[in-house]
């Protein structure tokens, strides 16, 4: 009877839970002109429908359009580690070593994200003083990211199983209860197959009006309708551990223990039916009942190690008000815009959720942060221009699930600069750079499913005039992300562990666009 209670308790301690998460990105590369020169807030062009909408008023009368396609490729790399201080000096001290980790107990998890076609369209029609604008683009997200070998946050839970089995094997009662033969040679190990795929899209349709006050000043007012569409699919299957010298599927192994308990209970019941002594009969029936109760508890607990699947879609929508101003004088032009924070929720449409974390119909805060952007351009020569811009994101005002935004130490800032040279009347080349600084604090905001790190970006490209009223933009840019090291302490299945994560990414974008003036 005592052994039965111990089995149920041991399995309950072994059982753990997994966490799933997601996140959004703000895309500022809405036009190929941006890719070849990031500092666009002080420039005048059709791409200004996004970057400097008030400045578009200074384009000529008539219709102006821009059609753009970009190809984006990203990788996301997390080098994760877990250490169990209480097991220093044992093979269980750094569990990831048992399943692909390096000599320091660090395991690499790599995700690949690709967007074969990232489209955007800008259009404006100008009269004498009034102008009307339209824009469509993927304001956030825009592709899918796949981790074919799961993530460290999931595997940490599973990597604890060999250590717990080892501890139980040192106790004769526990070892017998769990069917562990401590006399057999044991090479500790575990295994799991995990797959995660996430897709995140924020479609933005922007409408606005400009008014040219005079030859120097123009104003803009508009709004962007945002529609969010996210999907998450994944699985965690085949959790295994080395038990009695064999690699055992933990779910199947515990199922076997359930069968053993039920068999023992049946034997006690049968024996009770053959005795006449009331005291002996009651003892045998009591033992059978305890074994049955234990089997029921173990049967429930084993579900923690069953194969798990997730299939969830999230949707939401909201509106971002936008205002802008542009002022030009002599060789200078200055522009600014303010996008207000868009407060919205996303709702789960869940087809399957074995994690218990994506309940169908649940709404989660998922605000899009406001942006203040300003910049200027100076014409050094009639055919040479330099420009600079500044972006400030109101991240801490954008509410997220569990108020995650409060873990940031401040708001994101970006510093941008670039230059353009009209080599001929039909050919312009340009280049630019961007510095993005995130205020990540101690890293509590970051998780391996959703993270960003500060970065430097460099882009270059050219604009070719292919007809009297048409030009082609071609550009390429890449981003060099910094590493962010996060250290944390946690308790997994009652044991204190120390976790480390090193986050970084890569990003490469190639794009082609067509501008037409009618």
């Amino acid at each position: 009877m005592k052994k039965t209670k111990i089995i149920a308790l041991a399995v309950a301690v072994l059982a753990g839970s997994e966490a799933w998460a997601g996140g959004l990105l703000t895309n500022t590369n809405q036009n190929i002109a941006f890719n070849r020169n990031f500092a666009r807030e002080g420039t005048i062009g059709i791409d200004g429908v996004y970057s400097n909408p008030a400045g578009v008023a200074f384009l000529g009368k008539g219709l102006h359009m821009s059609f753009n396609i970009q190809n984006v490729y990203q990788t996301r790399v997390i080098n994760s580690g877990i250490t169990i201080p209480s097991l220093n000096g044992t093979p269980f001290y750094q569990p990831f070593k048992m399943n692909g980790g390096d000599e320091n107990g660090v395991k690499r998890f790599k995700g690949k994200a690709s967007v074969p076609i990232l489209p955007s369209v800008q259009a404006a029609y100008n009269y004498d003083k009034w102008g009307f604008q339209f824009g469509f683009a993927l304001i956030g997200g825009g592709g899918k990211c796949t981790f074919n070998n799961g993530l460290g946050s999931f595997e940490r839970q599973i990597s604890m199983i060999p250590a717990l089995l080892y501890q139980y094997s040192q106790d004769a009662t526990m070892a017998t209860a769990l069917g562990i033969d401590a006399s057999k040679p044991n090479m500790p190990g575990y295994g799991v197959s995990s797959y995660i795929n996430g897709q995140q899209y924020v479609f933005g349709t922007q409408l606005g009006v400009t008014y040219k006050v005079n030859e120097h000043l123009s104003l803009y007012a508009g709004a962007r309708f945002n529609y969010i569409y996210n999907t998450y699919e994944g699985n965690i299957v085949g959790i295994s551990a080395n038990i009695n010298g064999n690699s055992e599927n933990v779910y199947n192994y515990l199922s076997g223990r359930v069968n053993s308990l039920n068999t023992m209970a049946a034997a006690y019941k049968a024996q009770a039916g053959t005795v006449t002594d009331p005291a002996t009969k009651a003892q045998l029936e009591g033992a059978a009942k305890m074994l049955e109760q234990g089997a029921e508890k173990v049967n429930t607990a084993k579900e923690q190690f069953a194969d798990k699947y997730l299939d969830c879609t999230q949707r939401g929508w909201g509106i971002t008000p936008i205002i802008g101003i542009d002022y030009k004088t002599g060789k200078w032009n200055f522009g600014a815009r303010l996008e207000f924070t868009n407060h919205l929720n996303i709702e789960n449409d869940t087809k399957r959720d074995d994690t218990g974390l994506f309940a169908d119909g649940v709404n989660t805060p998922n605000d899009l942060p406001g942006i203040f952007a300003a910049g200027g351009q100076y014409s050094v020569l009639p055919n040479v221009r330099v420009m600079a811009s500044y972006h400030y994101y109101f991240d801490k005002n954008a509410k997220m699930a569990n108020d995650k935004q409060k873990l940031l130490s401040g708001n994101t800032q970006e510093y941008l600069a670039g230059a353009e040279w009209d080599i001929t009347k039909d050919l312009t080349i340009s280049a630019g750079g961007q510095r993005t600084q995130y205020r990540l604090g101690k890293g509590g905001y970051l998780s391996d499913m959703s993270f960003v790190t500060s970065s430097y970006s460099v882009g270059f490209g050219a604009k070719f005039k292919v007809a009297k009223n048409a030009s082609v933009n071609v550009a390429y840019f890449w981003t060099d992300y910094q590493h962010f090291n996060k250290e944390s302490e946690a308790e997994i299945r009652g044991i204190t562990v120390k976790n480390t994560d090193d986050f970084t990414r890569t990003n490469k974008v190639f794009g082609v666009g067509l501008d037409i003036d009618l």
Side-chain angles (χ1 to χ4, degrees):
M1 289 184 288
K2 183 178 180 181
K3 293 178 182 178
T4 303
K5 293 181 180 178
I6 290 174
I7 284 182
L9 175 63
V11 176
V13 172
L14 278 170
S17 62
E18 292 76 33
W20 299 73
L24 294 172
L25 297 172
T26 299
N27 296 334
T28 53
N29 53 314
Q30 301 303 319
N31 191 284
I32 309 307
F34 172 91
N35 294 10
R36 60 185 176 86
N37 175 14
F38 304 126
R40 302 297 299 175
E41 277 66 32
T43 65
I44 295 175
I46 186 58
D47 64 292
V49 168
Y50 173 78
S51 58
N52 181 20
V56 177
F58 290 113
L59 293 177
K61 294 181 182 179
L63 179 63
H64 308 274
M65 297 180 292
S66 182
F67 306 92
N68 305 270
I69 294 178
Q70 300 177 61
N71 177 272
V72 183
Y73 179 78
Q74 292 184 346
T75 63
R76 305 177 189 184
V77 179
I78 312 104
N79 291 307
S80 298
I82 175 174
T83 301
I84 308 174
S86 61
L87 294 179
N88 191 6
T90 74
F92 313 98
Y93 175 57
Q94 295 173 320
F96 280 168
K97 283 185 177 180
M98 293 182 279
N99 190 36
D102 63 18
E103 67 276 9
N104 297 313
V106 174
K107 188 171 181 178
R108 190 183 198 201
F109 298 88
K110 184 176 181 180
K112 295 182 179 181
S114 62
V115 190
I117 298 177
L118 182 67
S120 64
V121 178
Q122 292 88 32
Y125 193 91
N126 285 344
Y127 291 93
D128 287 336
K129 289 185 175 295
W130 292 93
F132 302 91
Q133 298 179 14
F134 166 84
F136 173 81
L138 288 168
I139 299 301
K144 65 179 182 179
C145 186
T146 301
F147 288 85
N148 288 312
N149 296 309
L151 289 167
S153 57
F154 302 161
E155 191 163 325
R156 285 190 179 107
Q157 309 284 332
I158 299 162
S159 72
M160 296 291 294
I161 296 174
L164 290 165
L165 290 173
Y166 168 75
Q167 289 184 336
Y168 298 146
S169 72
Q170 304 307 300
D171 183 285
T173 303
M174 293 285 283
T176 301
L178 290 174
I180 299 174
D181 187 350
S183 67
K184 288 188 177 182
N186 180 31
M187 295 296 293
Y190 70 92
V192 62
S193 177
S194 181
Y195 166 83
I196 302 162
N197 177 273
Q199 300 184 63
Q200 301 168 346
Y201 300 92
V202 185
F203 300 96
T205 300
Q206 185 173 324
L207 297 173
V209 178
T210 57
Y211 180 71
K212 188 160 58 174
V213 179
N214 53 46
E215 63 179 1
H216 299 289
L217 177 66
S218 63
L219 304 174
Y220 171 87
R224 181 184 301 119
F225 174 82
N226 304 301
Y227 176 75
I228 297 179
Y229 178 82
N230 302 332
T231 64
Y232 299 99
E233 294 180 340
N235 59 64
I236 299 175
V237 299
I239 298 175
S240 64
N242 192 313
I243 303 175
N244 298 332
N246 300 311
S247 178
E248 301 277 3
N249 180 292
V250 178
Y251 178 83
N252 294 339
Y253 180 81
L254 294 179
S255 296
R257 299 305 300 166
V258 171
N259 293 335
S260 296
L261 290 171
N262 284 327
T263 299
M264 292 170 61
Y268 277 125
K269 280 186 175 181
Q271 188 177 357
T274 63
V275 300
T276 57
D277 179 60
T280 303
K281 186 180 185 70
Q283 185 178 14
L284 291 170
E285 289 177 343
K289 183 176 181 180
M290 289 297 293
L291 287 166
E292 287 175 339
Q293 291 175 343
E296 183 178 347
K297 291 179 179 180
V298 174
N299 193 55
T300 299
K302 75 178 183 181
E303 295 304 319
Q304 298 292 334
F305 299 96
D307 294 344
K308 293 179 172 63
Y309 297 87
L310 174 68
D311 184 356
C312 176
T313 299
Q314 298 175 327
R315 296 178 177 88
W317 66 273
I319 296 176
T320 301
I322 307 169
I323 57 175
I325 186 171
D326 188 272
Y327 182 78
K328 56 187 301 186
T329 177
K331 296 181 179 181
W332 290 94
N333 188 76
F334 302 95
R337 79 177 189 280
L338 175 63
E339 300 187 13
F340 294 84
T341 298
N342 181 190
H343 300 289
L344 56 84
N345 290 331
I346 53 177
E347 181 176 340
N348 293 341
D349 177 8
T350 305
K351 296 180 177 61
R352 182 170 181 177
D353 175 26
D354 297 332
T355 70
L357 299 175
F358 283 79
D360 186 45
V362 170
N363 282 274
T364 305
N366 202 106
D367 294 353
L368 301 179
I371 304 172
F372 171 72
Q377 174 181 283
Y378 178 73
S379 296
V380 180
L381 297 170
N383 64 334
V384 177
R385 298 168 295 282
V386 294
M387 54 283 293
S389 297
Y390 171 74
H391 297 166
Y392 185 86
Y393 297 80
F394 298 92
D395 299 313
K396 291 186 70 66
N397 294 332
K399 188 174 178 61
M400 301 182 68
N402 302 315
D403 281 330
K404 192 171 79 166
Q405 76 282 356
K406 293 182 179 180
L407 299 174
L408 295 169
S409 59
N411 291 320
T412 302
Q413 299 183 71
E414 290 182 325
Y415 307 89
L416 311 93
E420 290 187 343
W421 175 23
D422 300 328
I423 297 178
T424 70
K425 64 182 182 65
D426 296 327
L427 174 61
T428 298
I429 61 172
S430 59
Q434 174 178 295
R435 168 60 170 159
T436 301
Q437 289 184 313
Y438 296 104
R439 309 298 182 181
L440 300 174
K442 295 182 179 180
Y445 175 85
L446 304 179
S447 70
D448 47 15
M449 267 294 286
S450 176
F451 70 89
V452 292
T453 65
S454 297
S455 63
Y456 295 90
S457 297
V458 177
F460 62 92
K463 180 178 181 179
F464 305 89
K465 193 169 184 178
V466 294
K468 182 179 179 180
N469 63 342
S471 298
V472 171
N473 285 287
V474 179
Y476 177 82
F477 83 85
W478 70 94
T479 303
D480 181 24
Y481 288 88
Q482 294 177 260
H483 287 257
F484 188 95
N485 294 302
K486 175 183 175 181
E487 297 182 0
S488 61
E489 190 173 280
E491 188 173 284
I492 300 178
R493 302 183 176 96
I495 298 177
T496 299
V497 302
K498 292 185 177 180
N499 299 325
T500 61
D501 290 291
D502 176 81
F503 300 98
T504 191
R505 304 165 62 142
T506 66
N507 185 69
K508 300 174 183 178
V509 181
F510 174 77
V512 178
L514 174 65
D515 296 345
I516 300 174
D517 302 308
L518 298 176

